[in-house]
Amino acid sequence: MFVQHHNFGMFQMIRCGQARRTHNSPEHLHQYYELEMVFDGEIEITLNGSTVTARAGDMAIIPSFGLHAFHTPESTRMMICVFSPAFLSGTFSDALLLQPRSTHIFRPSKALWNYLIECGFSEMWGPYTFNSAEKANDFERMRSIFHMIMAEYFASVPPSKEVSYDGILPRVLAYMSAHFTEDLTLKSVGAALGYSPRYISNCLSVMPEISFRGLLNSMRTERAKELLRSTDDSNYEITIT
């Protein structure tokens, strides 16, 4: 299992690509959301310990900080798109976005599927940034596309009734990601989320290779790297910020 700490940098918000024949990846997690759009074949997608098969015509939504893996039994042709949570903020509440769903696979309506193909979304390839005023319209256009997809997903897939460590893990990681510059401890994270320090520790135990302190230090290190790439401040100034 591995953690992808790099989350696009300051302005890069979408990364898209096409998978043909195979797409295999061990368990990992990251802060951004991930979308799979399957055109041919099938792929097994594991999210927080539950494995489901996505087939042609299906879409999959991997939530922020969802522990997931991919395996292709035979072959597939699919689009893979990772996108920043910024595309969903302001419209969908945190409670809705972090609420576990009964499955992460759904079959979109023909109208939505055809629109994604006709508007060129299904052919996107490479990183996309929105770091200028001229690209403001592009940002709003892409945000509207993700809103349509997520709205259908939420309407089609009911919330999960099961509560487990895996289901709470995204909330823990999201809170740590938003507050890692503070003096975080298991006790403070638990108090903020309404759980005991032992419960928070048990949630993190599904990632045996990474400790609470190690994860926190990694988040801080990646933030320092982003600042070094995007500012003229000295190393000393960044260290004490």
Side-chain angles (χ1 to χ4, degrees), residues 149-176:
I149 294 172
M150 296 299 291
E152 278 210 7
Y153 173 63
F154 291 141
S156 303
V157 180
S160 174
K161 296 181 180 180
E162 298 181 6
V163 178
S164 65
Y165 291 145
D166 288 348
I168 301 299
L169 180 61
R171 293 185 59 198
V172 174
L173 296 176
Y175 183 84
M176 291 179 64

Side-chain angles (χ1 to χ4, degrees), residues 175-176 178-185 188 213 216 220:
Y175 183 84
M176 291 179 64
H179 299 273
F180 66 87
T181 58
E182 304 170 13
D183 185 20
L184 290 185
T185 63
S188 65
R213 184 55 55 183
L216 191 59
R220 290 169 175 169

